[in-house]
Amino acid sequence: MGSEKDSQVVTAAKPAVKAIKEKDADVTLRFIEQHGHEVGPLTPEKEKKLRRKLYLHVMVLVSAINLILFVDKSSLGYAAILGLFEETGISKAQYNNLNTFFYVGYVAAQLPGHYLLQRLPFGKFVGAVVFSWSVIIFLHCVATNYAGLAVVRILLGVVEAVVVPAIEMTIGMFFNREEQSFLQPIFWITCQAAPIVAGFVSYGLVWSKGKTAILPWKLFMITTGGLTFFLSIWTWFCYPNNPSEARFLTTEEKVHVIRRVQGSSQSSIEQKHFKKEQFIETLKDPVSWLFALQAFTLMYSNNLTYGQQNLLTTSLGVTTLGSTLVAVAGGGFGVVVCLVATWALRRWPRGLAWHGLAWCVPAIAGGIGMVTIKWTEKLGMLACLLLAGHTYGTTYIIGLGWATSSAAGYTKKLTRNVMFMIGYSVGNLVSPQIWVPSAAPRYYGAWASMIIVAWAGTPAILFIISFILGRRNKEREQWAAELSDDDREGIVEEVGENGEIVRRKADLAMLDLTDLENKFFIYPL
């Protein structure tokens, strides 16, 4: 990649592997053709410096966005113990509906959101989205009845719908496949750390009750909305579109980033044209549907952490003040889980389905404890609650990263992300409704269904995905062993000055082929 042969004119009538029009190639193709021949191989010293720069400029920013995203997403759960019920007069059933309404907006915005994500400048779009959700968080303060809360929750779901897919695409643009596998849990520490931040904010605001005309739940929205607003300014000016346009990288570093990513994944970085054939292929690929299904099954249990945990804690007799500290402890435990998961993925990078299973087993144990331990055993119940609510999220992280890294072709990646997030959204739509108020406080049905559907069903689907991808890899390895070097190159076509078709060689990773089109693509397992 990036050598002089990449730009030489090919006069052969028959392309070596596949010929595509230049507009359908990766957006970084022209940049590599212009500068690739000027840049030599990447030395270990330069690679170490480059990784450090990427961690500082990319991972710090996307981690900050993810942290605030999950603080804002769980804001209703904290408002519930900070005076929301008292001021608005909503019932427990209406509270569950508000959690569902968020995901009504979330699922409705997936298709238009991903379309805009592809068509508009990537970084500016993300910045605008973060600003929009800060405004909506502020608007929660003027929603003092059920109808008003329903509107702002739907709108919040709309503007947050594509933030996580955008972040995942960004990580895929700047880091190679090996780095992505262990960076995912480190990145998602911010998700687990969200209860720590929100818990301490809530703890401080509890003391303001009765000392100011503004109720604590509104102060919580103002605080998190303000943090989100300042984050949107940072995002607008610093979020990169792609490696070739990243202002914090030198020309040499841009070339090295593109080479590293495409060399490890055999996949494109970005493509601004929607490709109908890739969209259709994604729908026909059973793996896409399986990833969407496991997103649904796992998120069937998600309201436990973001909607019910604080209420379950107070129902056990813990004070409002104490419940905020329990949330902080749960977040701290979740951070430890992510660190252990990171170590395990670096130690054993293969066996993603086994990693997914490993983090559902503790959740199953916690769920069983919640329905078998005596209600009077408060400490044991709290331990099981935290065990169930803060371990299965690692399986979500693994599944989300795997869904993206096992697809090639930019439109296919985006389409699979849409399918994954729709499964995620529908699971979260259903999740609040399993907490039937009449079943309080033990909620036997909710716990039993989460154990079966979410924490046992999800790993089963991941093993099916692993089997299918493993079989494809074996077929490809046998096929590739019989090919010559010339069979491993692609052709880019463009119209010359005199109207003739000019063909030039290009690395297959530059052609924006899907994983089914590019037989050299090896699936991560």
Side-chain angles (χ1 to χ4, degrees):
M1 185 185 308
S3 62
E4 293 182 1
K5 72 174 183 177
D6 290 339
S7 59
Q8 75 182 67
V9 175
V10 179
T11 57
K14 183 179 179 180
V17 176
K18 181 175 180 177
I20 66 165
K21 294 180 174 60
E22 185 175 14
K23 69 179 182 64
D24 293 326
D26 193 296
V27 295
T28 64
L29 172 63
R30 182 64 71 179
F31 179 84
I32 288 295
E33 289 182 337
Q34 291 175 346
H35 303 286
H37 65 282
E38 304 169 357
V39 178
L42 181 61
T43 64
E45 293 78 15
K46 288 183 178 180
E47 185 171 24
K48 184 177 180 180
K49 179 181 177 183
L50 177 60
R51 278 201 302 265
R52 190 183 304 118
K53 182 177 281 192
L54 293 175
Y55 293 154
L56 179 62
H57 289 272
V58 178
M59 289 306 298
V60 171
L61 177 54
V62 298
S63 295
I65 293 172
N66 202 49
L67 172 64
I68 300 300
L69 174 70
F70 278 86
V71 169
D72 289 350
K73 187 177 291 188
S74 62
S75 58
L76 198 67
Y78 289 93
I81 61 173
L82 293 173
L84 176 70
F85 284 99
E86 291 82 351
E87 180 170 4
T88 62
I90 63 173
S91 66
K92 179 60 166 60
Q94 288 174 325
Y95 171 79
N96 288 344
N97 290 339
L98 291 175
N99 282 292
T100 292
F101 288 151
F102 174 89
Y103 288 99
V104 170
Y106 207 89
V107 70
Q110 288 302 319
L111 282 172
H114 276 82
Y115 177 77
L116 293 174
L117 190 63
Q118 182 175 26
R119 299 293 293 174
L120 299 177
F122 204 96
K124 298 303 182 187
F125 176 74
V126 175
V129 165
V130 177
F131 173 77
S132 298
W133 108 53
S134 74
V135 172
I136 294 170
I137 288 292
F138 282 128
L139 289 176
H140 278 63
C141 296
V142 298
T144 56
N145 56 42
Y146 178 60
L149 288 169
V151 171
V152 293
R153 295 309 291 180
I154 291 172
L155 291 176
L156 187 63
V158 168
V159 297
E160 290 187 6
V162 297
V163 175
V164 169
I167 290 174
E168 289 293 326
M169 297 294 286
T170 300
I171 293 174
M173 287 179 183
F174 286 88
F175 297 95
N176 63 34
R177 183 178 285 179
E178 180 185 354
E179 291 164 342
Q180 290 176 45
S181 65
F182 69 81
L183 282 175
Q184 288 287 348
I186 292 177
F187 162 65
W188 284 95
I189 285 175
T190 54
C191 165
Q192 298 293 344
I196 300 176
V197 175
F200 277 125
V201 171
S202 299
Y203 183 84
L205 293 177
V206 167
W207 294 101
S208 71
K209 193 170 185 179
K211 300 177 182 178
T212 174
I214 305 176
L215 289 178
W217 78 270
K218 289 185 176 179
L219 290 174
F220 185 86
M221 296 297 179
I222 293 170
T223 302
T224 57
L227 290 173
T228 308
F229 172 74
F230 287 113
L231 175 65
S232 70
I233 297 175
W234 180 15
T235 305
W236 178 266
F237 289 104
C238 297
Y239 203 102
N241 292 327
N242 59 60
S244 67
E245 299 178 32
R247 290 183 294 178
F248 64 88
L249 295 174
T250 66
T251 298
E252 180 182 7
E253 289 170 336
K254 292 175 182 178
V255 171
H256 286 315
V257 170
I258 295 169
R259 286 176 176 174
R260 291 175 78 247
V261 171
Q262 293 184 334
S264 70
S265 67
Q266 282 297 302
S267 180
S268 62
I269 288 178
E270 188 180 15
Q271 226 295 322
K272 286 300 183 184
H273 297 283
F274 178 83
K275 297 182 179 180
K276 182 179 178 181
E277 65 276 11
Q278 290 194 12
F279 174 78
I280 294 172
E281 179 185 305
T282 313
L283 297 181
K284 290 182 176 180
D285 190 343
V287 173
S288 300
W289 293 100
L290 288 169
F291 273 119
L293 179 60
Q294 67 86 38
F296 165 79
T297 56
L298 192 59
M299 291 302 102
Y300 179 86
S301 64
N302 204 38
N303 194 244
L304 165 64
T305 306
Y306 295 102
Q308 304 299 325
Q309 180 176 290
N310 289 331
L311 296 177
L312 289 169
T313 302
T314 53
S315 71
L316 282 166
V318 180
T319 65
T320 299
L321 196 62
S323 68
T324 63
L325 297 180
V326 171
V328 170
F333 174 62
V335 169
V336 172
V337 167
C338 279
L339 290 173
V340 174
T342 300
W343 172 82
L345 283 166
R346 293 201 72 170
R347 178 68 177 81
W348 300 286
R350 293 177 61 86
L352 294 175
W354 287 103
H355 284 282
L357 171 64
W359 296 110
C360 281
V361 170
I364 292 173
I368 292 173
M370 289 299 293
V371 297
T372 57
I373 295 177
K374 291 181 180 180
W375 186 254
T376 54
E377 300 291 335
K378 306 299 184 184
L379 187 59
M381 293 288 285
L382 285 173
C384 288
L385 178 60
L386 296 185
L387 186 65
H390 294 276
T391 52
Y392 71 87
T394 303
T395 302
Y396 164 74
I397 298 166
I398 292 168
L400 177 61
W402 197 6
T404 302
S405 63
S406 61
Y410 198 74
T411 299
K412 182 170 184 177
K413 285 184 179 181
L414 285 177
T415 306
R416 180 172 287 180
N417 273 340
V418 170
M419 296 173 68
F420 186 100
M421 298 311 294
I422 288 176
Y424 169 93
S425 303
V426 175
N428 278 289
L429 277 169
V430 175
S431 186
Q433 304 306 318
I434 68 176
W435 301 92
V436 181
S438 61
R442 298 305 300 257
Y443 296 106
Y444 290 113
W447 287 106
S449 62
M450 288 191 295
I451 291 169
I452 296 169
V453 174
W455 303 326
T458 301
I461 297 169
L462 292 178
F463 277 106
I464 295 172
I465 293 171
S466 182
F467 173 77
I468 294 173
L469 298 184
R471 187 172 59 184
R472 289 182 183 178
N473 280 349
K474 288 181 180 179
E475 294 172 353
R476 290 170 182 228
E477 288 166 359
Q478 294 174 355
W479 170 81
E482 303 173 358
L483 298 178
S484 66
D485 290 341
D486 289 339
D487 293 324
R488 300 171 185 265
E489 294 180 319
I491 301 295
V492 175
E493 294 181 344
E494 65 175 336
V495 179
E497 295 180 358
N498 298 321
E500 79 283 7
I501 300 297
V502 178
R503 292 171 173 162
R504 60 187 192 275
K505 292 181 180 180
D507 193 296
L508 281 174
M510 284 287 186
L511 303 190
D512 192 43
L513 303 178
T514 69
D515 53 283
L516 295 182
E517 291 174 327
N518 180 7
K519 298 297 183 181
F520 294 105
F521 183 94
I522 298 299
Y523 296 97
L525 297 176

